[in-house]
């Protein structure tokens, strides 16, 4: 270490911060030397600030003796003339020292202060006047919130992250916030019904995230999404739509759209009481109809229950999509099947698609729609996710694979073929065209070597005539729990090597777990 750092914070009898110091010191050889230097710097600092009645305490007698000598020689505190001279002489120096503090030091100091204390530091110097606004989390009462919001808008805030709870319903933020011309990033996390002003114009807003917001009505909600003309990234996380019948999201520059409706799935969510149980009866209405204009949209992701009805208008630009569905009660199966179909119908131009097994199983409740699913001409990567083995004979899955002629990569987590299926060869009749022309890589996660899993691997190996590799990633925890890890895996691998392969150039890679190098290849 070539240097040391010294810091000091002066508080009044109420514990409020009055002034702070950060200083660079020389290299220290031992802790006692460091303590003496720190005390000396602190003494110099308090004298410069103008404090002259001091009480010094310590538990190291050597340090205290040295400090006393320093005080006798260097600090004639009883001289009123010296006090006045020193105070005047050092005023400019003190302000300069405060202004010269590097940003990381200032942010570190502010992080230890309450919101009110941080705001008080604005009197230290011109540079400190608005530094309190950089604190990641500010806690205000209702009266102070409006004043602070007006202040940050006035000083051209660019990024604002608000976490608001326990306010009076409905929550009404200052209208000037919704016409802020400088704001580029807005994150609003609340558990309240949001009362929006009549005029909304975020002329510079590019990133908007709304979490657990209760939308009040159709008109104001539509105004919110219409008032973001250059929005590029939109996240709507566990919001409540029950007061809204229909809304159109049509930002012409929107590129990424992320939606989750997982609020009702978390039984341990403590926020439900704060939201007055608004979410608990969302299933009692038919949902909000959300139309997404996707003229520039590149990425779309949905995760949760399909409480609302989402559909795309002109979605030809979407290249990456994910649908992670959580099934509702059986009474909603047919309705949710049509809602999954609507989403997939707008994704005909995707290049990468992620589906979970619940979405595929729900879709199976409306088999009459299979013939109307789009052909995914551009789809090259398909990920099918699940916490348990996916049955490869699932008709919705096979239909999507058959409708993906350019599919190059296919992954499962994990896949199986029940032994009661009878003649397994009929499952691949007809063989999907991508298996003959383009499919080069298959990955299977969470593999345990069960009989029905082995059946699925056998069918895949035998049907893919241009396959270059099949990567089988074992469930390492399962094998470790059942013991005889290496012997069992070697037996499974040797059995797989005996399966007929449709492609002579195909290699089998057998991994012990994710991020592990192949244990066996052949």
């Amino acid at each position: 270490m070539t240097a040391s750092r010294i810091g000091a914070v002066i508080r009044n009898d109420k514990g409020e911060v009055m002034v702070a110091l950060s200083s660079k010191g020389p290299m220290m050889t031992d802790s006692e030397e460091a303590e003496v230097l720190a005390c000396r710097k602190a003494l110099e600092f308090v004298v410069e600030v103008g404090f002259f009645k001091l009480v010094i305490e310590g538990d190291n007698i050597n340090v205290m003796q040295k400090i006393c000598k320093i005080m006798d020689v260097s600090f004639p505190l009883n001289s009123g003339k010296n006090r006045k001279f020193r105070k005047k002489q050092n005023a400019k120096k003190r302000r300069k020292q405060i202004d010269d503090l590097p940003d990381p030091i200032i942010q570190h100091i502010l992080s230890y202060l309450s919101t009110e204390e941080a705001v008080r530091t604005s009197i230290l110097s011109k540079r400190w006047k608005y530094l309190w606004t950089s604190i990641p989390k500010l806690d205000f009462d209702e009266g102070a919130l409006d004043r602070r919001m007006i202040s940050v808008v006035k000083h051209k805030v660019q990024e604002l992250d608000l976490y608001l709870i326990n306010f009076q319903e409905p929550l009404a933020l200052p209208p000037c916030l919704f016409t802020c011309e400088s704001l580029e990033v807005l994150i609003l996390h609340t558990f309240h019904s949001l009362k929006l002003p009549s005029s909304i114009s975020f002329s510079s807003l590019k990133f908007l995230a709304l979490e657990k917001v209760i939308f009040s009505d159709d008109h104001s909600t539509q105004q919110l999404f219409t008032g973001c003309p250059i929005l590029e990234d939109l996240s709507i996380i566990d919001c409540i739509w029950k007061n809204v019948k229909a809304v159109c999201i049509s930002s012409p520059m929107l590129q990424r759209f992320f939606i989750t409706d997982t609020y009702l799935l978390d039984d341990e969510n403590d926020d439900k009481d704060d939201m007055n149980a608004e979410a608990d009866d969302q299933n009692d209405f038919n949902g909000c109809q959300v139309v997404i204009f996707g003229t520039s949209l590149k990425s779309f992701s949905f995760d949760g229950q399909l409480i609302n009805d989402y559909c795309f208008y002109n979605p030809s630009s979407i290249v990456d999509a994910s649908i992670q569905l959580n099934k509702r009660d059986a009474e909603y199966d047919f309705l949710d099947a049509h809602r999954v179909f609507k989403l997939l119908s707008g994704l005909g131009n995707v290049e990468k698609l992620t589906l979970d097994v619940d979405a595929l199983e729900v879709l199976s409740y409306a088999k009459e729609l299979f013939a109307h699913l789009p052909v995914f001409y551009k789809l090259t990567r398909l990920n099918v996710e699940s916490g348990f083995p996916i049955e490869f004979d699932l008709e919705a899955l096979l239909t999507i694979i058959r409708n993906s002629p350019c599919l190059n990569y296919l992954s499962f987590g994990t896949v199986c073929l029940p032994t009661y299926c009878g003649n397994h060869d009929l499952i691949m009749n007809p063989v999907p065209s991508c298996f003959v022309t383009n499919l080069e890589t298959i990955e299977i996660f969470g593999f345990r070597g069960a009989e029905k899993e082995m059946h699925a691997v056998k069918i895949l190996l035998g049907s893919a005539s241009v396959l270059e590799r099949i990567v089988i990633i074992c469930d390492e925890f399962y094998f470790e729990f059942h013991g005889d890890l290496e012997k069992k895996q070697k037996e499974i691998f040797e059995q797989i090597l005996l399966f007929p392969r449709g492609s002579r150039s195909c290699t089998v890679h057998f991994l012990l777990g994710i991020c592990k190098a192949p244990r066996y290849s052949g």
Side-chain angles (χ1 to χ4, degrees):
M1 182 182 294
T2 60
S4 59
R5 299 294 300 186
I6 298 165
V9 176
I10 298 177
R11 299 177 182 265
N12 62 16
D13 58 348
K14 297 179 181 179
E16 298 168 338
V17 172
M18 301 178 69
V19 68
L21 162 74
S22 177
S23 176
K24 186 176 181 181
M27 182 176 64
M28 297 288 99
T29 58
D30 58 51
S31 59
E32 193 171 284
E33 181 185 3
E35 190 173 349
V36 171
L37 177 63
C39 288
R40 180 186 177 91
K41 288 289 185 182
L43 287 170
E44 292 173 349
F45 180 52
V46 297
V47 171
E48 289 175 3
V49 172
F51 294 93
F52 305 104
K53 291 183 179 180
L54 307 177
V55 177
I56 302 175
E57 298 179 350
D59 57 3
N60 187 318
I61 190 169
N62 293 329
V63 171
M64 297 308 296
Q65 287 174 347
K66 291 178 182 179
I67 292 300
C68 288
K69 290 180 181 179
I70 291 171
M71 290 182 66
D72 290 341
V73 173
S74 305
F75 301 98
L77 300 179
N78 293 326
S79 169
K81 187 176 180 179
N82 285 346
R83 289 199 303 268
K84 187 174 181 180
F85 173 78
R86 188 179 293 110
K87 185 175 181 180
K88 185 176 181 179
Q89 188 74 12
N90 291 322
K92 288 186 178 180
K93 182 180 178 182
R94 182 170 66 252
R95 284 195 296 271
K96 188 177 186 302
Q97 287 176 334
I98 291 173
D99 284 343
D100 288 344
L101 287 174
D103 287 346
I105 297 295
I106 295 174
Q107 292 167 1
H108 185 69
I109 292 171
L110 292 176
S111 69
Y112 284 96
L113 308 181
S114 67
T115 297
E116 294 303 318
E117 289 174 334
V119 172
R120 289 193 185 101
T121 65
S122 62
I123 67 172
L124 294 178
S125 71
K126 288 184 179 180
R127 184 176 174 228
W128 282 68
K129 191 170 184 179
Y130 303 111
L131 288 174
W132 63 269
T133 61
S134 66
I135 300 175
K137 184 176 180 181
L138 298 173
D139 299 312
F140 296 116
D141 57 32
E142 293 183 35
L145 179 61
D146 283 4
R147 296 194 299 273
R148 302 309 178 195
M149 290 300 98
I150 292 170
S151 177
V152 298
V153 170
K154 180 181 177 181
H155 294 94
K156 301 186 184 304
V157 63
Q158 292 182 319
E159 297 186 13
L160 190 58
D161 188 344
L162 297 175
Y163 186 99
L164 305 173
I165 59 173
N166 299 325
F167 284 83
Q168 185 176 351
E169 293 282 357
L171 176 63
L173 296 171
C176 65
L177 174 63
F178 296 90
T179 55
C180 180
E181 295 180 354
S182 61
L183 194 61
E184 297 180 4
V185 175
L186 175 60
I187 302 171
L188 179 58
H189 182 123
T190 181
F191 310 112
H192 299 280
S193 178
L194 185 60
K195 184 178 180 180
L196 296 168
S198 57
S199 177
I200 299 176
S201 178
F202 289 112
S203 58
S204 300
L205 194 68
K206 295 182 179 180
F207 181 97
L208 175 61
L210 304 172
E211 183 169 2
K212 294 184 171 65
V213 171
I214 304 174
F215 298 118
S216 298
D217 55 70
D218 289 54
H219 178 72
S220 65
T221 305
Q222 185 61 67
Q223 285 283 97
L224 175 61
F225 294 120
T226 305
C228 308
I230 66 168
L231 191 67
E232 297 177 358
D233 201 314
L234 175 61
S235 295
I236 301 177
I237 304 167
D238 298 341
C239 291
I240 307 300
W241 299 82
K242 63 174 293 183
N243 302 317
V244 182
K245 293 181 180 178
V247 70
C248 176
I249 298 173
S250 58
S251 300
M253 300 180 69
L254 186 64
Q255 297 182 28
R256 292 168 294 278
F257 190 10
F258 176 72
I259 310 172
T260 68
D261 276 327
T262 59
Y263 187 83
L264 293 174
L265 304 175
D266 189 356
D267 294 333
E268 298 180 359
N269 198 326
D270 296 330
D271 301 332
K272 285 191 176 182
D273 292 337
D274 295 310
M275 296 184 75
N276 300 318
E278 290 278 356
D280 289 328
D281 58 350
Q282 276 213 108
N283 278 322
D284 294 338
F285 84 127
N286 290 327
C288 174
Q289 193 155 35
V290 182
V291 180
I292 305 162
F293 280 73
T295 52
S296 300
L297 196 62
K298 302 294 184 186
S299 176
F300 172 79
S301 177
F302 176 84
D303 184 5
Q305 294 182 330
L306 276 172
I307 298 169
N308 303 298
D309 189 4
Y310 301 96
C311 64
F312 296 102
Y313 182 83
N314 193 16
S316 59
S317 59
I318 301 176
V319 296
D320 187 353
S322 173
I323 302 174
Q324 306 282 331
L325 189 67
N326 296 100
K327 289 182 66 176
R328 296 194 282 172
D329 293 339
E331 61 184 293
Y332 300 104
D333 284 343
F334 186 74
L335 174 63
D336 288 352
H338 280 73
R339 290 181 174 177
V340 172
F341 173 77
K342 275 189 180 182
L343 286 174
L344 288 173
S345 296
L347 301 176
N349 286 320
V350 294
E351 298 172 11
K352 178 182 177 182
L353 179 62
T354 299
L355 299 171
D356 75 345
V357 70
D358 279 356
L360 295 169
E361 288 183 348
V362 162
L363 188 61
S364 298
Y365 289 101
K367 293 183 178 181
E368 67 278 7
L369 299 175
F370 288 0
H372 304 285
L373 282 168
V375 176
F376 302 97
Y377 285 108
K378 296 182 179 180
L379 184 63
T380 59
R381 296 178 67 90
L382 176 61
N383 302 308
V384 185
E385 298 184 351
S386 176
F388 51 87
I390 301 160
E391 295 187 2
F392 186 66
D393 63 333
L394 193 63
E395 193 171 348
L397 172 60
L398 289 173
T399 300
I400 290 174
I401 292 175
R402 289 191 175 105
N403 284 16
S404 306
C406 296
L407 194 65
N408 176 267
Y409 169 92
L410 176 62
S411 78
F412 300 96
T414 180
V415 65
C416 70
L417 196 56
T419 54
Y420 55 77
C421 285
N423 191 344
H424 298 115
D425 294 334
L426 295 178
I427 294 170
M428 299 298 281
N429 186 16
V431 174
S433 62
C434 62
F435 273 59
V436 178
T437 59
N438 288 288
L439 187 62
E440 296 178 350
T441 302
I442 296 176
E443 287 190 354
I444 301 172
F445 294 84
F447 190 77
R448 296 183 175 184
E451 183 181 2
K452 58 184 181 180
E453 293 176 291
M454 299 292 278
H455 277 298
V457 171
K458 184 177 182 179
I459 292 294
L460 291 169
L461 273 173
S463 305
S465 56
V466 295
L467 195 65
E468 293 183 358
R469 70 190 64 83
I470 182 168
V471 182
I472 301 172
I473 303 166
C474 294
D475 182 343
E476 57 183 318
F477 298 107
Y478 172 83
F479 282 101
E480 287 176 2
F481 180 78
H482 286 79
D484 232 359
L485 174 65
E486 188 171 345
K487 180 181 178 182
K488 178 66 173 175
Q489 289 182 332
K490 188 175 182 180
E491 290 175 356
I492 294 172
F493 175 71
E494 290 175 347
Q495 187 176 348
I496 291 174
L497 289 181
L498 298 175
F499 292 159
R501 305 184 196 185
S503 169
R504 292 183 179 180
S505 61
C506 177
T507 57
V508 179
H509 301 280
F510 206 71
L511 282 67
L512 295 184
I514 299 174
C515 300
K516 298 288 183 66
R519 168 60 68 88
Y520 306 107
S521 294

